[in-house]
Amino acid sequence: MTDVLRSRYTAFSYRNIKYVMSTTHENCRDYREDKVAWAKDLDKGGMFDSFEFVKLQAGEEEMSDDNENEGYVEFKVTLRAKEDKYDTVAGQETVISERSRFLRNPDDGSWSYASGDVRSDVVGLEDTQLNA
């Protein structure tokens, strides 16, 4: 799970939309059958243009008590706001904490992102749940 978390962080920071999509579980609320529309939404509505990815701190993995193919990883990511047209938040850093839920494919053992509970000091993201 932690390897997938780290690789998704890298994919977000380098705008590797295809990888982000391929590591998102089909039960995730972000998952879409229309891959072209999903890619456009990620590119336009994602954090790519608004933030630089500064640092990732991954916590311990936690397995579900009742499902061997479900687990969780808590992490913190530090983001730096990119320059905006009003220059009001450019350079400002924020830390987002999340408890991510991952599901394992029992056939090949691969993990994918299913949902997350987000905590942030960013207005509008203080207590957001990204449910599957």
Short mmCIF file of all heavy atoms in Angstrom, two decimals, residues 4 33 36 48 52 55 64 77 82 98 100 130:
data_model
loop_
_atom_site.label_atom_id
_atom_site.label_comp_id
_atom_site.label_asym_id
_atom_site.label_seq_id
_atom_site.Cartn_x
_atom_site.Cartn_y
_atom_site.Cartn_z
N VAL A 4 2.28 2.01 -3.37
CA VAL A 4 1.29 2.60 -4.27
C VAL A 4 1.06 4.06 -3.89
O VAL A 4 0.98 4.94 -4.76
CB VAL A 4 -0.04 1.81 -4.26
CG1 VAL A 4 -1.12 2.50 -5.09
CG2 VAL A 4 0.19 0.40 -4.78
N GLU A 33 -15.72 5.27 -16.00
CA GLU A 33 -15.59 4.36 -17.15
C GLU A 33 -15.03 5.10 -18.37
O GLU A 33 -14.24 4.55 -19.11
CB GLU A 33 -16.94 3.72 -17.50
CG GLU A 33 -17.40 2.68 -16.50
CD GLU A 33 -16.53 1.44 -16.47
OE1 GLU A 33 -15.97 1.05 -17.52
OE2 GLU A 33 -16.42 0.84 -15.39
N VAL A 36 -11.24 9.03 -21.17
CA VAL A 36 -10.86 10.30 -21.78
C VAL A 36 -11.43 11.46 -20.97
O VAL A 36 -10.72 12.41 -20.63
CB VAL A 36 -11.31 10.36 -23.26
CG1 VAL A 36 -11.08 11.75 -23.84
CG2 VAL A 36 -10.59 9.30 -24.09
N PHE A 48 -2.86 19.79 -10.26
CA PHE A 48 -1.66 19.95 -11.08
C PHE A 48 -1.27 21.41 -11.29
O PHE A 48 -0.11 21.77 -11.20
CB PHE A 48 -1.84 19.29 -12.45
CG PHE A 48 -2.05 17.81 -12.37
CD1 PHE A 48 -3.15 17.24 -13.00
CD2 PHE A 48 -1.18 16.99 -11.69
CE1 PHE A 48 -3.35 15.87 -12.95
CE2 PHE A 48 -1.37 15.63 -11.63
CZ PHE A 48 -2.46 15.06 -12.26
N GLU A 52 2.52 22.87 -6.19
CA GLU A 52 3.73 22.06 -6.35
C GLU A 52 3.72 21.06 -5.20
O GLU A 52 3.34 21.39 -4.08
CB GLU A 52 4.98 22.93 -6.23
CG GLU A 52 5.14 23.95 -7.33
CD GLU A 52 6.33 24.85 -7.04
OE1 GLU A 52 7.34 24.38 -6.49
OE2 GLU A 52 6.22 26.04 -7.35
N LYS A 55 6.47 17.59 -0.27
CA LYS A 55 6.94 16.50 0.58
C LYS A 55 5.80 15.54 0.91
O LYS A 55 4.66 15.95 1.07
CB LYS A 55 7.51 17.09 1.88
CG LYS A 55 8.04 16.07 2.86
CD LYS A 55 8.80 16.69 4.03
CE LYS A 55 7.96 17.60 4.86
NZ LYS A 55 8.64 18.04 6.10
N SER A 64 -7.19 -4.14 7.61
CA SER A 64 -8.55 -4.24 8.10
C SER A 64 -8.69 -5.47 8.99
O SER A 64 -8.06 -6.51 8.73
CB SER A 64 -9.51 -4.34 6.91
OG SER A 64 -10.83 -4.60 7.35
N VAL A 77 0.91 15.29 3.20
CA VAL A 77 1.56 15.82 2.01
C VAL A 77 1.62 17.35 2.17
O VAL A 77 0.66 17.97 2.61
CB VAL A 77 0.84 15.42 0.70
CG1 VAL A 77 -0.57 15.95 0.64
CG2 VAL A 77 1.62 15.83 -0.52
N LYS A 82 1.07 27.54 -6.29
CA LYS A 82 1.76 28.17 -7.41
C LYS A 82 1.26 29.60 -7.56
O LYS A 82 0.24 29.98 -6.99
CB LYS A 82 1.50 27.39 -8.70
CG LYS A 82 2.15 26.02 -8.71
CD LYS A 82 1.91 25.33 -10.03
CE LYS A 82 2.56 23.96 -10.06
NZ LYS A 82 2.31 23.28 -11.34
N GLU A 98 -4.27 12.63 5.29
CA GLU A 98 -5.29 11.72 4.79
C GLU A 98 -5.08 10.33 5.35
O GLU A 98 -3.95 9.89 5.54
CB GLU A 98 -5.25 11.67 3.26
CG GLU A 98 -6.30 10.74 2.67
CD GLU A 98 -6.38 10.79 1.16
OE1 GLU A 98 -6.12 11.85 0.56
OE2 GLU A 98 -6.70 9.74 0.57
N SER A 100 -5.87 6.99 3.87
CA SER A 100 -6.29 6.39 2.60
C SER A 100 -6.69 4.94 2.79
O SER A 100 -6.04 4.19 3.53
CB SER A 100 -5.15 6.44 1.57
OG SER A 100 -4.87 7.77 1.22
N LEU A 130 -13.49 11.42 1.03
CA LEU A 130 -13.53 10.97 -0.35
C LEU A 130 -13.90 9.50 -0.34
O LEU A 130 -13.07 8.63 -0.39
CB LEU A 130 -12.16 11.19 -1.02
CG LEU A 130 -11.64 12.62 -0.99
CD1 LEU A 130 -10.23 12.68 -1.52
CD2 LEU A 130 -12.55 13.51 -1.80
#
